[in-house]
Amino acid sequence: RTVCLLVVYCLQVMSAYGTTLFLPYTLKVLGANPYFISFVGCLAQIPGIALMAIIVEWPKVGRRNTIRFYTALSVIFSFLFAFVQNEVATPVFTVLLYFSILPTLTAIITYITESYPTEIR
């Protein structure tokens, strides 16, 4: 179980930080304003994390389904960003990607810490 959680955590951290580091360069290559879009994307993380905090506490949803939901959103928005590129879609999908990628990492960190008894933590 520890190895699986470690792999999931490492992959999510690499995707989150990789996206954050390389997305501005990609936006610049595509001709968009990387600074403004990254700023708006960082602002979009706030409601994303707030929504994640609400969803996590719903009794029928829980942490695992929240992680699945936000991971699916991240994958969908990543593919849309990669394959649908025009003046309107690129900034929109970038902001939506920022909206979904950090809450996934936050939910994974919460899930991992609560997966072990208090004595081990």
Side-chain angles (χ1 to χ4, degrees):
R1 177 167 106 174
T2 301
V3 173
C4 290
L5 290 173
L6 179 66
V7 169
V8 168
Y9 174 76
C10 288
L11 290 174
Q12 182 59 36
V13 167
M14 285 189 291
S15 69
Y17 288 118
T19 300
T20 305
L21 289 174
F22 294 112
L23 205 55
Y25 173 76
T26 306
L27 290 169
K28 188 175 182 180
V29 169
L30 294 173
N33 183 353
Y35 301 110
F36 179 72
I37 295 173
S38 295
F39 175 72
V40 174
C42 288
L43 289 178
Q45 291 176 351
I46 296 169
I49 291 176
L51 181 63
M52 184 270 310
I54 292 169
I55 292 173
V56 158
E57 294 303 324
W58 281 353
K60 294 190 179 191
V61 178
R63 287 163 181 28
R64 290 174 73 180
N65 289 331
T66 303
I67 293 169
R68 289 178 186 140
F69 172 71
Y70 272 102
T71 302
L73 282 180
S74 298
V75 168
I76 290 167
F77 295 143
S78 295
F79 278 114
L80 289 173
F81 174 80
F83 295 113
V84 180
Q85 295 177 353
N86 59 42
E87 294 177 1
V88 176
T90 299
V92 168
F93 293 138
T94 302
V95 170
L96 291 173
L97 182 58
Y98 275 112
F99 173 83
S100 63
I101 204 161
L102 189 63
T104 307
L105 182 59
T106 306
I108 287 173
I109 291 170
T110 304
Y111 179 74
I112 289 172
T113 56
E114 293 179 352
S115 293
Y116 297 99
T118 308
E119 300 84 36
I120 296 175
R121 289 189 253 166

